[in-house]
Amino acid sequence: MARTLILLLALAPAGPAHAQAVQIKPLGEARLRHETVDQDGLAADAEALTLRLRAGVEARAGRWSVLVEGQGNLALVDQYFDGLHGAATRPIIADPENIALTRAQLRYASPAFTVTAGRQRIGFDDERFVGGVGFRQNGQSYDAVRAEVTPLKGLKVDLAYAWSVRTIWGIDGVGARQQAVSGDNVFANVGAQTPVGKLSGFAYLVDQDEAAMQGFRMSSQSYGVRLDGNQPLGKAKIAYQLSYAHQSDWHRNPNDYRADYYFADVALDFGGPRLGVGYEVLGASSRAIGGTALTSFQTPLATGFKFQGWGDKFLVTPPDGVRDLYANAGWSWDAVGPLKAVTVQAAYHDYRSDRASRSYGDEIDLLASARLGKITGSVRYAHYRADSFATDTDKFWLQLDWML
């Protein structure tokens, strides 16, 4: 690790930055999580107690910085199928044991221009298309170069090229669940602050360049727009998100398809209680040329856990697409006794197919969380009730997070 720091610092060009003292910041965090899954159709339940440890260091000298971080994930209780090991007669909990270099990046940052090179975490907007999969113990990072340019106040151009995606499957990943997926991924996002919120235009070219990834079928190009804003409404605040994208095949994807994405979310925040409704559609393609199979809108690099319920039934969009109509309610407090950032919330999802509007099922999600000192604790529950897609599933999480 020390040699890596010296090497990366040596790459910085000579200049005023070298005259400044190098500031060293240690990085550290830990997460202990107990997860259980009861899924109809499988012979046994799954139980996992996993411990993730991350440690690293960041060195800063003027506008230059170097960051190196490693992590390990240990299964203290391993009565589950992690996608690579264990009995597939149990439900999957996608947290395999792993040890990895999660970040090794060199960054130059000024008020108008930032460039980051090396292994890094990347997330755009709400991470619906490109994200770090932060909920899973191993997470997702990118071997990439990213440039963030602010030519004018309120205007930002964010460009990235990633030649490798380091997946959640870790060092033992093989086949369709590989450790890393190579390809020429290009991400572009231009955002402008307007009186009604942040208006963004984006283009995400995803290149899943491995034959094991179901014949390159996840390679796609998506172009779209997004509005994210909020406005006062009496004593409350209304927050809204609107997004549209069009997707088609790209690179060596054998399918010739076209599909659309729609998203609308509105929430009323009363300074404690919060109510929200939303509708998200990952559309089915109506186009099938040359005998290719009908397909649907896919987001293989997304932080999928944030969307369409915590049951994770729709991480890969079904061929007939998916429509998610949902409502949520919650309450938050700045402090309750010694506890800080106390939150309780509940959500209900109704899932249907985009083609033919067939009922897939519904889901209830519940969460309670609070912080005490540097430790954040959370209890989470998801219940998916199947109609015509997947099977009834109950998931429960008890989690503790600590950060240096």
Side-chain angles (χ1 to χ4, degrees):
M1 183 178 294
R3 290 182 179 178
T4 304
L5 284 172
I6 294 171
L7 176 60
L8 291 176
L9 283 172
L11 293 175
H18 288 284
Q20 301 185 30
V22 176
Q23 299 177 331
I24 303 295
K25 177 184 177 181
L27 306 172
E29 60 178 276
R31 175 191 285 170
L32 180 67
R33 181 160 69 210
H34 181 241
E35 180 174 349
T36 62
V37 184
D38 177 2
Q39 181 173 319
D40 282 6
L42 294 177
D45 295 345
E47 181 181 11
L49 179 62
T50 54
L51 174 62
R52 185 188 75 189
L53 298 174
R54 284 179 176 168
V57 64
E58 182 179 24
R60 292 180 176 270
R63 292 179 174 177
W64 293 90
S65 66
V66 175
L67 187 153
V68 177
E69 178 190 70
Q71 78 161 43
N73 183 48
L74 178 65
L76 304 175
V77 176
D78 62 354
Q79 300 302 306
Y80 67 103
F81 176 51
D82 66 13
L84 303 170
H85 314 97
T89 53
R90 296 182 184 272
I92 187 171
I93 296 177
D95 292 322
E97 289 190 311
N98 186 42
I99 185 167
L101 180 67
T102 52
R103 289 191 287 174
Q105 65 184 48
L106 172 66
R107 172 175 290 175
Y108 173 85
S110 71
F113 177 71
T114 297
V115 61
T116 308
R119 187 163 300 171
Q120 58 191 283
R121 296 194 190 106
I122 296 179
F124 286 93
D125 292 326
D126 59 355
E127 300 191 28
R128 191 53 176 111
F129 292 85
V130 181
V133 196
F135 182 77
R136 296 267 56 106
Q137 295 287 54
N138 291 317
Q140 179 170 272
S141 57
Y142 301 79
D143 293 337
V145 176
R146 182 180 187 180
E148 300 166 79
V149 184
T150 308
L152 300 171
K153 183 179 180 180
L155 177 65
K156 182 179 179 181
V157 180
D158 197 342
L159 306 172
Y161 167 71
W163 57 90
S164 179
V165 180
R166 317 298 294 192
T167 74
I168 66 171
W169 304 112
I171 56 176
D172 293 333
V174 294
R177 294 175 174 141
Q178 299 172 69
Q179 173 187 6
V181 180
S182 62
D184 296 315
N185 300 279
V186 179
F187 313 134
N189 186 299
V190 179
Q193 295 294 337
T194 74
V196 294
K198 180 184 177 183
L199 181 63
S200 302
F202 56 83
Y204 302 128
L205 280 60
V206 176
D207 181 13
Q208 299 283 276
D209 204 18
E210 298 290 341
M213 298 299 288
Q214 305 182 49
F216 310 100
R217 76 176 184 88
M218 290 295 183
S219 296
S220 65
Q221 49 186 332
S222 301
Y223 305 92
V225 293
R226 172 181 166 83
L227 176 65
D228 183 355
N230 61 79
Q231 299 288 333
L233 187 65
K235 295 183 179 181
K237 181 172 68 175
I238 183 169
Y240 43 85
Q241 302 175 69
L242 301 170
S243 187
Y244 167 79
H246 179 74
Q247 184 178 94
S248 60
D249 55 282
W250 189 60
H251 202 54
R252 285 186 282 179
N253 190 328
N255 297 312
D256 187 346
Y257 77 99
R258 306 289 185 270
D260 294 310
Y261 171 83
Y262 304 90
F263 177 63
D265 181 279
V266 180
L268 280 173
D269 190 338
F270 297 93
R274 180 182 174 92
L275 300 172
V277 294
Y279 188 54
E280 184 182 43
V281 179
L282 281 79
S285 173
S286 59
R287 174 172 176 161
I289 295 179
T292 59
L294 292 172
T295 187
S296 53
F297 201 106
Q298 302 290 340
T299 59
L301 302 183
T303 299
F305 186 80
K306 295 175 61 177
F307 303 90
Q308 298 177 340
W310 301 331
D312 277 351
K313 295 300 181 180
F314 303 98
L315 294 179
V316 177
T317 308
D320 285 337
V322 59
R323 302 177 185 175
D324 176 18
L325 177 64
Y326 63 87
N328 51 56
W331 202 301
S332 61
W333 300 265
D334 292 336
V336 178
L339 301 177
K340 309 297 183 183
V342 179
T343 299
V344 294
Q345 67 181 60
Y348 173 78
H349 297 260
D350 179 73
Y351 306 111
R352 307 189 72 85
S353 64
D354 181 48
R355 181 182 292 113
S357 192
R358 184 177 71 258
S359 176
Y360 283 150
D362 56 31
E363 181 172 333
I364 295 173
D365 295 328
L366 305 173
L367 170 69
S369 66
R371 188 180 75 246
L372 180 62
K374 293 185 177 181
I375 297 176
T376 299
S378 62
V379 180
R380 194 185 302 255
Y381 171 74
H383 171 68
Y384 176 79
R385 183 178 61 182
D387 285 337
S388 63
F389 185 83
T391 57
D392 290 0
T393 302
D394 290 277
K395 295 187 176 185
F396 175 81
W397 299 264
L398 180 61
Q399 182 172 309
L400 295 174
D401 286 277
W402 171 89
M403 184 172 292
L404 185 65

Short mmCIF file of all heavy atoms in Angstrom, two decimals, residues 7 30 35 47 105 138 156 171 173 182 206 234-235 259-260 263 274 309 314 338 359 389 394 396 400:
data_model
loop_
_atom_site.label_atom_id
_atom_site.label_comp_id
_atom_site.label_asym_id
_atom_site.label_seq_id
_atom_site.Cartn_x
_atom_site.Cartn_y
_atom_site.Cartn_z
N LEU A 7 3.97 5.79 -5.59
CA LEU A 7 3.91 5.77 -7.06
C LEU A 7 2.87 6.75 -7.58
O LEU A 7 3.13 7.53 -8.51
CB LEU A 7 3.57 4.36 -7.53
CG LEU A 7 3.37 4.17 -9.04
CD1 LEU A 7 4.63 4.55 -9.80
CD2 LEU A 7 2.96 2.75 -9.36
N ALA A 30 -16.94 -0.37 9.32
CA ALA A 30 -17.30 -1.76 9.56
C ALA A 30 -18.80 -1.91 9.47
O ALA A 30 -19.55 -0.99 9.82
CB ALA A 30 -16.80 -2.22 10.93
N GLU A 35 -28.91 -11.47 8.14
CA GLU A 35 -29.97 -11.50 7.12
C GLU A 35 -30.55 -12.89 7.05
O GLU A 35 -29.82 -13.89 7.02
CB GLU A 35 -29.40 -11.10 5.75
CG GLU A 35 -30.44 -11.11 4.64
CD GLU A 35 -29.91 -10.57 3.32
OE1 GLU A 35 -28.81 -9.98 3.31
OE2 GLU A 35 -30.61 -10.71 2.29
N GLU A 47 -29.73 -18.14 6.17
CA GLU A 47 -29.31 -17.29 7.27
C GLU A 47 -27.85 -16.92 7.08
O GLU A 47 -27.00 -17.79 6.86
CB GLU A 47 -29.49 -17.98 8.62
CG GLU A 47 -29.08 -17.12 9.80
CD GLU A 47 -29.24 -17.80 11.14
OE1 GLU A 47 -29.47 -19.03 11.15
OE2 GLU A 47 -29.11 -17.12 12.18
N GLN A 105 -7.11 5.27 -6.36
CA GLN A 105 -7.38 6.35 -7.30
C GLN A 105 -6.47 7.56 -7.06
O GLN A 105 -6.04 7.84 -5.94
CB GLN A 105 -8.84 6.79 -7.18
CG GLN A 105 -9.18 7.40 -5.82
CD GLN A 105 -10.64 7.75 -5.66
OE1 GLN A 105 -11.52 6.94 -5.96
NE2 GLN A 105 -10.93 8.96 -5.18
N ASN A 138 -20.07 -6.41 -0.60
CA ASN A 138 -18.89 -6.21 -1.43
C ASN A 138 -18.97 -4.95 -2.30
O ASN A 138 -17.94 -4.42 -2.72
CB ASN A 138 -18.65 -7.44 -2.32
CG ASN A 138 -18.22 -8.64 -1.51
OD1 ASN A 138 -17.40 -8.54 -0.60
ND2 ASN A 138 -18.80 -9.80 -1.81
N LYS A 156 -22.95 21.59 -14.80
CA LYS A 156 -21.91 20.59 -14.58
C LYS A 156 -21.94 19.54 -15.69
O LYS A 156 -23.00 19.02 -16.04
CB LYS A 156 -22.09 19.90 -13.22
CG LYS A 156 -21.00 18.87 -12.91
CD LYS A 156 -21.21 18.25 -11.54
CE LYS A 156 -20.15 17.19 -11.24
NZ LYS A 156 -20.35 16.56 -9.91
N ILE A 171 -13.65 -12.18 -5.55
CA ILE A 171 -12.53 -12.87 -6.18
C ILE A 171 -12.87 -14.26 -6.69
O ILE A 171 -12.17 -14.80 -7.55
CB ILE A 171 -11.33 -12.96 -5.22
CG1 ILE A 171 -11.74 -13.65 -3.91
CG2 ILE A 171 -10.75 -11.58 -4.95
CD1 ILE A 171 -10.58 -13.87 -2.95
N GLY A 173 -15.71 -14.98 -8.23
CA GLY A 173 -16.74 -14.86 -9.25
C GLY A 173 -16.37 -15.54 -10.55
O GLY A 173 -15.25 -15.40 -11.06
N SER A 182 -15.32 -6.77 -18.22
CA SER A 182 -14.62 -5.77 -19.02
C SER A 182 -15.53 -5.24 -20.11
O SER A 182 -16.57 -5.82 -20.43
CB SER A 182 -13.36 -6.38 -19.64
OG SER A 182 -13.71 -7.45 -20.50
N VAL A 206 -23.46 1.06 -21.99
CA VAL A 206 -23.03 -0.05 -21.14
C VAL A 206 -22.57 -1.20 -22.03
O VAL A 206 -23.34 -1.71 -22.85
CB VAL A 206 -24.17 -0.51 -20.22
CG1 VAL A 206 -23.76 -1.73 -19.41
CG2 VAL A 206 -24.58 0.63 -19.29
N GLY A 234 -46.75 25.81 1.56
CA GLY A 234 -47.21 26.18 2.88
C GLY A 234 -46.12 25.90 3.90
O GLY A 234 -44.97 26.33 3.74
N LYS A 235 -46.45 25.16 4.95
CA LYS A 235 -45.46 24.79 5.96
C LYS A 235 -44.72 23.51 5.61
O LYS A 235 -43.82 23.09 6.34
CB LYS A 235 -46.15 24.63 7.33
CG LYS A 235 -46.74 25.93 7.87
CD LYS A 235 -47.35 25.72 9.25
CE LYS A 235 -47.91 27.02 9.81
NZ LYS A 235 -48.49 26.83 11.17
N ALA A 259 -36.73 0.01 -26.06
CA ALA A 259 -37.57 0.00 -24.87
C ALA A 259 -37.46 1.35 -24.17
O ALA A 259 -36.45 2.05 -24.31
CB ALA A 259 -37.16 -1.13 -23.93
N ASP A 260 -38.48 1.71 -23.40
CA ASP A 260 -38.53 3.01 -22.74
C ASP A 260 -38.60 2.86 -21.22
O ASP A 260 -39.08 1.85 -20.70
CB ASP A 260 -39.74 3.81 -23.23
CG ASP A 260 -39.63 4.18 -24.70
OD1 ASP A 260 -38.58 4.72 -25.09
OD2 ASP A 260 -40.59 3.92 -25.45
N PHE A 263 -40.29 7.38 -15.01
CA PHE A 263 -40.23 7.43 -13.56
C PHE A 263 -40.81 8.74 -13.07
O PHE A 263 -40.47 9.82 -13.58
CB PHE A 263 -38.78 7.29 -13.09
CG PHE A 263 -38.60 7.41 -11.60
CD1 PHE A 263 -39.18 6.51 -10.73
CD2 PHE A 263 -37.82 8.44 -11.06
CE1 PHE A 263 -39.00 6.60 -9.37
CE2 PHE A 263 -37.63 8.55 -9.70
CZ PHE A 263 -38.23 7.62 -8.84
N ARG A 274 -43.63 12.20 6.47
CA ARG A 274 -43.39 12.30 5.03
C ARG A 274 -44.26 11.28 4.32
O ARG A 274 -44.34 10.12 4.73
CB ARG A 274 -41.90 12.04 4.72
CG ARG A 274 -41.52 12.13 3.24
CD ARG A 274 -40.06 11.80 3.06
NE ARG A 274 -39.65 11.72 1.67
CZ ARG A 274 -39.16 12.74 0.97
NH1 ARG A 274 -39.00 13.91 1.55
NH2 ARG A 274 -38.82 12.59 -0.29
N GLY A 309 -38.53 -2.34 -4.60
CA GLY A 309 -38.65 -3.16 -3.41
C GLY A 309 -37.38 -3.86 -2.99
O GLY A 309 -36.50 -4.15 -3.81
N PHE A 314 -36.71 -8.04 -9.07
CA PHE A 314 -36.66 -7.48 -10.42
C PHE A 314 -35.30 -6.86 -10.74
O PHE A 314 -35.23 -5.88 -11.47
CB PHE A 314 -37.79 -6.46 -10.59
CG PHE A 314 -39.16 -7.02 -10.33
CD1 PHE A 314 -39.77 -6.84 -9.09
CD2 PHE A 314 -39.81 -7.76 -11.30
CE1 PHE A 314 -41.02 -7.37 -8.84
CE2 PHE A 314 -41.06 -8.29 -11.06
CZ PHE A 314 -41.67 -8.11 -9.83
N PRO A 338 -30.79 9.81 23.51
CA PRO A 338 -29.42 9.80 23.01
C PRO A 338 -29.31 9.43 21.54
O PRO A 338 -28.24 9.54 20.95
CB PRO A 338 -28.74 8.75 23.88
CG PRO A 338 -29.84 7.79 24.23
CD PRO A 338 -31.09 8.64 24.36
N SER A 359 -50.59 -9.05 -13.48
CA SER A 359 -50.14 -8.86 -12.10
C SER A 359 -48.98 -9.80 -11.78
O SER A 359 -49.10 -11.02 -11.91
CB SER A 359 -51.28 -9.10 -11.12
OG SER A 359 -50.81 -9.00 -9.78
N PHE A 389 -45.33 -14.02 -10.82
CA PHE A 389 -43.89 -13.91 -11.02
C PHE A 389 -43.17 -14.25 -9.73
O PHE A 389 -43.50 -13.73 -8.67
CB PHE A 389 -43.53 -12.49 -11.46
CG PHE A 389 -42.07 -12.31 -11.82
CD1 PHE A 389 -41.62 -12.66 -13.09
CD2 PHE A 389 -41.17 -11.83 -10.89
CE1 PHE A 389 -40.27 -12.52 -13.42
CE2 PHE A 389 -39.84 -11.69 -11.21
CZ PHE A 389 -39.38 -12.03 -12.48
N ASP A 394 -39.98 -13.78 2.27
CA ASP A 394 -39.83 -12.90 3.42
C ASP A 394 -38.35 -12.72 3.71
O ASP A 394 -37.59 -13.71 3.78
CB ASP A 394 -40.51 -13.48 4.66
CG ASP A 394 -42.02 -13.46 4.55
OD1 ASP A 394 -42.60 -12.41 4.84
OD2 ASP A 394 -42.60 -14.49 4.15
N PHE A 396 -35.47 -10.51 6.26
CA PHE A 396 -35.29 -9.73 7.48
C PHE A 396 -33.81 -9.39 7.62
O PHE A 396 -32.94 -10.23 7.40
CB PHE A 396 -35.76 -10.53 8.70
CG PHE A 396 -35.49 -9.84 10.01
CD1 PHE A 396 -36.33 -8.85 10.47
CD2 PHE A 396 -34.38 -10.19 10.76
CE1 PHE A 396 -36.07 -8.22 11.68
CE2 PHE A 396 -34.11 -9.56 11.97
CZ PHE A 396 -34.96 -8.57 12.43
N LEU A 400 -25.65 -3.21 11.78
CA LEU A 400 -24.92 -2.18 12.51
C LEU A 400 -23.80 -1.65 11.61
O LEU A 400 -23.04 -2.44 11.05
CB LEU A 400 -24.31 -2.74 13.80
CG LEU A 400 -25.29 -3.21 14.88
CD1 LEU A 400 -24.53 -3.86 16.02
CD2 LEU A 400 -26.14 -2.04 15.40
#
